[in-house]
Structure formats: C-alpha cells, structure tokens
Amino acid sequence: MKRLESAFEHVLFASRWLMAPVYFGLVLAMLLLLVKFGKEIVHLFASILTASGGELIIGVLSLVDIALIMNLLIIIMFSGYENFVSKMEDLHSHRDRPDWMGHIGFSDLKLKLIGSIVAISGIELLKAFMNVANLGDKHLGWMVGIHLTFVVSGLLYAAMDRLASKGH
C-alpha cells in the first residue's frame, strides 16, 4: 500500500508540468499583444495630423493598457512557473534577471493581479471619459460601478491578506 501511495504522490507531483504549456500559451498571447501594440502605434502615427488631442490621448492610453497587460503576463508566467512548476536555477546569476523573480509568492501574485486589473480598469474608464460624448449614461454608470467593484475587491483582498499574514 505504501508503494501505491508513493507512486500516486509522484504522479501528482509530476502533474505540475501540465502547467508548462499554459505558461507557453501566455508567451503566445504576448506575441498577439505585441502585434496589437504595433497596429495601434501605426494607427496613431498615421492619424497624427488629423486626430484631436483627445483621440491621441486615447491612443496612448491604449498603448499603456497593452503594456500593463504584457507586464502582468510576465509576472504571472515567471512567478507562476517558479511557484508551481520548477525553479529557474540556471537563471539566478543572469545579469538581466529581475530582482523580484523568486520572491513573489502566490499571495503576492494575487495582489499584483488585482492591482493590475484595477489599473487596467482605470485606464479603460479614463478612455471612456475622454470619449464621453459618444457613450450613454447607463454605459458610463456600469463602467464606474465595475471599476469601483474592482477597487473595493482589491482593498478587501489586501486587508484580508494583511490580517492573514499577522496570524502567522
């Protein structure tokens, strides 16, 4: 029976590698976002002479939005891989290795995720306010409500995380 239990535990432990293709899929998603970023910047430069200041600001905010999402994907890929799949031992001495790598735990990752969602939601809300003439009150109300929900959720999660860490 002990041998069966040990074999099961080894299979269970090895199953963490099923996440590796998921992290590679996020790399592919970053490539898609890079194409979208390139498309946005080409559009921005093409309309530089005809676009209003508000349209240019919305275009730049779209670029910032994509950059935030890509940064978030990097954090999720690196910390998720190191927390759940395998340590990146060969990269510990790499000169370009980010300082935060290997130091972000699952709780930190969730806080960074909710913080990024709040930032992305805030940018989307700002873009909507820049285009307020084309949006209805109901639409704007929903956007503000959703953003406030993200903000409150983030604050509550951070408070719960802080309370939980005091208990340890």
Side-chain angles (χ1 to χ4, degrees):
M1 192 57 140
K2 183 67 178 161
R3 217 179 353 196
L4 182 62
E5 180 183 355
S6 179
F8 176 73
E9 289 170 354
H10 278 85
V11 168
L12 201 59
F13 185 69
S15 70
R16 72 191 191 282
W17 283 98
L18 294 173
M19 284 300 296
V22 173
Y23 294 121
F24 183 70
L26 293 178
V27 171
L28 297 177
M30 285 182 60
L31 286 171
L32 293 174
L33 286 169
L34 184 61
V35 170
K36 177 70 174 167
F37 186 90
K39 193 173 156 186
E40 286 285 330
I41 206 154
V42 165
H43 173 66
L44 205 57
F45 274 101
S47 64
I48 190 93
L49 297 175
T50 59
S52 69
E55 290 170 334
L56 289 176
I57 290 172
I58 289 173
V60 170
L61 287 173
S62 295
L63 297 177
V64 170
D65 208 10
I66 293 169
L68 281 172
I69 293 169
M70 290 180 79
N71 287 337
L72 177 61
L73 287 176
I74 287 173
I75 292 170
I76 290 170
M77 287 183 311
F78 287 177
S79 60
Y81 183 85
E82 281 211 333
N83 279 311
F84 300 112
V85 179
S86 180
K87 299 289 180 207
M88 295 184 194
E89 299 292 335
D90 296 342
L91 300 176
H92 279 285
S93 59
H94 195 283
R95 66 183 179 91
D96 290 333
R97 186 175 192 270
D99 290 335
W100 54 264
M101 263 184 80
H103 301 291
I104 293 182
F106 186 59
S107 182
D108 300 323
L109 181 59
K110 289 189 289 186
L111 282 173
K112 290 191 180 311
L113 176 65
I114 194 82
S116 295
I117 289 170
V118 168
I120 292 164
S121 172
I123 289 173
E124 289 300 316
L125 191 57
L126 184 57
K127 287 182 351 188
F129 282 136
M130 296 293 296
N131 196 22
V132 75
N134 297 331
L135 297 173
D137 291 344
K138 190 174 183 179
H139 185 82
L140 283 173
W142 274 106
M143 289 185 77
V144 169
I146 291 169
H147 179 68
L148 288 175
T149 302
F150 287 147
V151 170
V152 170
S153 297
L155 290 171
L156 288 174
Y157 184 78
M160 288 186 307
D161 192 55
R162 186 173 192 138
L163 289 172
S165 67
K166 284 186 179 180
H168 294 297

Coordinates of all heavy atoms in Angstrom, one line a residue, residues 5 34 49 63 97 100 116 150:
E5 N 0.8 4.4 -2.6 CA 0.7 5.8 -2.2 C 1.9 6.7 -2.7 O 1.7 7.8 -3.2 CB 0.7 5.9 -0.7 CG 0.6 7.3 -0.1 CD 0.6 7.3 1.4 OE1 0.6 6.2 2.1 OE2 0.6 8.4 2.0
L34 N 1.7 42.1 -28.8 CA 2.8 42.8 -29.5 C 2.3 43.3 -30.9 O 2.5 44.4 -31.3 CB 4.1 42.0 -29.5 CG 5.3 42.7 -30.1 CD1 5.6 44.0 -29.3 CD2 6.4 41.8 -30.2
L49 N -1.7 63.9 -37.8 CA -2.1 65.2 -38.3 C -3.6 65.5 -38.3 O -4.0 66.7 -38.2 CB -1.6 65.3 -39.7 CG 0.0 65.3 -39.9 CD1 0.3 65.3 -41.4 CD2 0.6 66.4 -39.1
L63 N -2.0 52.1 -25.7 CA -0.7 51.6 -25.7 C -0.2 51.2 -24.2 O 0.3 50.2 -24.0 CB 0.3 52.5 -26.3 CG 0.1 52.9 -27.8 CD1 1.1 53.9 -28.2 CD2 0.2 51.6 -28.6
R97 N 18.2 39.2 -14.9 CA 17.2 38.6 -14.1 C 16.5 39.6 -13.2 O 17.2 40.3 -12.4 CB 17.7 37.5 -13.2 CG 16.7 36.7 -12.5 CD 17.4 35.5 -11.8 NE 16.4 34.6 -11.3 CZ 15.9 34.7 -10.0 NH1 16.2 35.6 -9.2 NH2 15.0 33.8 -9.7
W100 N 12.7 40.8 -8.5 CA 11.5 40.2 -7.9 C 11.4 38.7 -8.2 O 10.6 38.1 -7.5 CB 10.3 41.0 -8.3 CG 10.1 41.1 -9.8 CD1 10.4 42.1 -10.5 CD2 9.5 40.1 -10.6 NE1 10.0 41.9 -11.9 CE2 9.5 40.7 -11.9 CE3 8.9 38.9 -10.4 CZ2 9.0 40.0 -13.0 CZ3 8.4 38.2 -11.5 CH2 8.4 38.7 -12.8
S116 N -3.2 45.1 -11.0 CA -3.2 45.4 -12.4 C -4.6 45.5 -13.0 O -4.8 46.3 -13.9 CB -2.4 44.2 -13.1 OG -1.1 44.2 -12.7
F150 N -13.9 46.6 -8.6 CA -12.5 46.1 -8.6 C -11.7 46.8 -7.5 O -10.9 46.1 -6.9 CB -11.9 46.4 -10.0 CG -12.3 45.5 -11.1 CD1 -12.4 46.0 -12.4 CD2 -12.7 44.2 -10.9 CE1 -12.8 45.2 -13.5 CE2 -13.1 43.4 -11.9 CZ -13.2 43.9 -13.2

